[in-house]
Amino acid sequence: TTWIEWGADLYNWKLPGNSIKEKFINHINWVIRKNILQVGLTFEVDEEEIRRQMGEKVNCIYTPLPFAENRIKLLEESRTKKLNQKKEIRIQVAHNSLQLNNHINILSQLEKYRENNIRVILPLSYGTYGINGQFGGFAYRKSVIQCAYSFIGKNKVSILSKELPLEKYLQYLWNIDIAVFNVNRPIGLANIIYMLYMGKKVFLPANSPHYKFFKEIGLPVFKTEDIDFMTYDEFIRPVDTQV
């Protein structure tokens, strides 16, 4: 048996374990994982977590995230359809409504820039149903929106509540200037890879494996924690002037 891990099933499979049912499900999940001989990694840095959970005997192979052959073509075609004519700085916060994205923490960091010409965009089109009954919730989604309006100002916040076709989503990403993520495990990798290709400024937690990986291979990513100490000019400074 080969298990092709996909992020959440590696990092977020364990239930709190407070009930007999949850303890039983956790035990079954653990037994299954301990008896798998080979794991396909969708991201290279996941091997460290695999070894931590399953030991050194398991064989790891690299089975990368799938991208269609025309993806570069779509990226380049969507480049010519930029819509941002207002010259406002567009900041994407996370990529879905899962609680593990720590939206409110990010929004509190961005609050000090509210008087500047910014627009904060919250993609909340999916994630309310969570992962195995955890990390979701409509109440959390509502609280994120309310905090965004309170911290940034309702007139400077946009909510993406519907999923977009890929071509439209790529066009949207070309119009983003900055993206801020605050999750300590790899997540939203397609978004991050697209935005790095586009030259966008991407913030990731300094202690996350994907931040370390991108830095090691020479890609320009920035520490989410540093936002607390950045002036507005430092925060919005284009990537090509900092590499």
Side-chain angles (χ1 to χ4, degrees):
T1 301
T2 299
W3 165 32
I4 309 297
E5 59 87 10
W6 195 258
D9 56 343
L10 171 61
Y11 293 93
N12 303 116
W13 62 270
K14 197 170 184 179
L15 299 173
N18 296 323
S19 67
I20 293 175
K21 179 181 178 181
E22 288 178 329
K23 290 178 181 177
F24 177 74
I25 293 173
N26 284 340
H27 176 72
I28 294 299
N29 266 301
W30 182 80
V31 170
I32 291 171
R33 283 164 167 75
K34 293 297 286 186
N35 284 279
I36 288 175
L37 298 178
Q38 183 166 263
V39 177
L41 304 171
T42 54
F43 191 43
E44 296 98 317
V45 299
D46 291 340
E47 183 172 354
E48 181 178 345
E49 183 65 16
I50 290 289
R51 301 292 181 198
R52 187 187 72 80
Q53 293 188 30
M54 302 174 62
E56 296 297 323
K57 291 184 179 180
V58 64
N59 182 44
C60 292
I61 58 175
Y62 182 41
T63 53
L65 288 166
F67 286 95
E69 290 184 15
N70 68 339
R71 199 53 49 87
I72 298 297
K73 181 181 178 183
L74 285 175
L75 281 163
E76 288 303 323
E77 287 177 348
S78 60
R79 180 202 291 263
T80 62
K81 300 176 181 178
K82 290 188 177 182
L83 300 175
N84 186 4
Q85 304 297 329
K86 297 181 180 180
K87 296 184 180 180
E88 61 190 3
I89 298 297
R90 295 188 173 185
I91 307 162
Q92 176 172 315
V93 172
H95 73 296
N96 62 29
S97 63
L98 288 174
Q99 294 179 25
L100 51 82
N101 283 298
N102 298 306
H103 300 82
I104 295 172
N105 188 356
I106 300 172
L107 292 168
S108 67
Q109 289 181 292
L110 300 178
E111 183 179 13
K112 64 182 180 179
Y113 305 134
R114 64 177 293 160
E115 299 303 324
N116 298 101
N117 188 22
I118 64 171
R119 175 155 299 277
V120 170
I121 303 173
L122 293 163
L124 301 176
S125 60
Y126 70 99
T128 50
Y129 294 102
I131 302 169
N132 294 328
Q134 302 180 87
F135 313 115
F138 287 95
Y140 175 77
R141 183 182 186 275
K142 184 178 179 180
S143 70
V144 168
I145 296 172
Q146 290 175 336
C147 286
Y149 291 164
S150 175
F151 293 168
I152 310 300
K154 189 172 183 179
N155 63 326
K156 293 188 175 184
V157 174
S158 295
I159 310 298
L160 291 184
S161 57
K162 295 182 179 180
E163 293 190 31
L164 300 174
L166 178 60
E167 293 83 355
K168 291 290 185 182
Y169 189 68
L170 293 178
Q171 183 178 338
Y172 151 78
L173 287 181
W174 276 112
N175 287 279
I176 292 296
D177 299 291
I178 299 167
V180 185
F181 297 84
N182 193 20
V183 190
N184 291 328
R185 66 122 167 131
I187 196 169
L189 289 173
N191 285 260
I192 294 169
I193 291 169
Y194 291 148
M195 286 188 278
L196 290 175
Y197 176 87
M198 295 172 178
K200 307 303 180 181
K201 194 170 187 178
V202 176
F203 286 85
L204 301 172
N207 63 345
S208 64
H210 47 317
Y211 172 83
K212 296 172 185 175
F213 173 79
F214 289 130
K215 290 297 285 186
E216 286 174 359
I217 64 174
L219 291 175
V221 291
F222 301 84
K223 298 177 183 178
T224 303
E225 296 86 345
D226 286 349
I227 296 174
D228 289 332
F229 311 103
M230 286 181 164
T231 65
Y232 178 68
D233 288 340
E234 290 171 335
F235 177 66
I236 68 169
R237 189 175 299 156
V239 171
D240 58 5
T241 67
Q242 300 186 41
V243 178

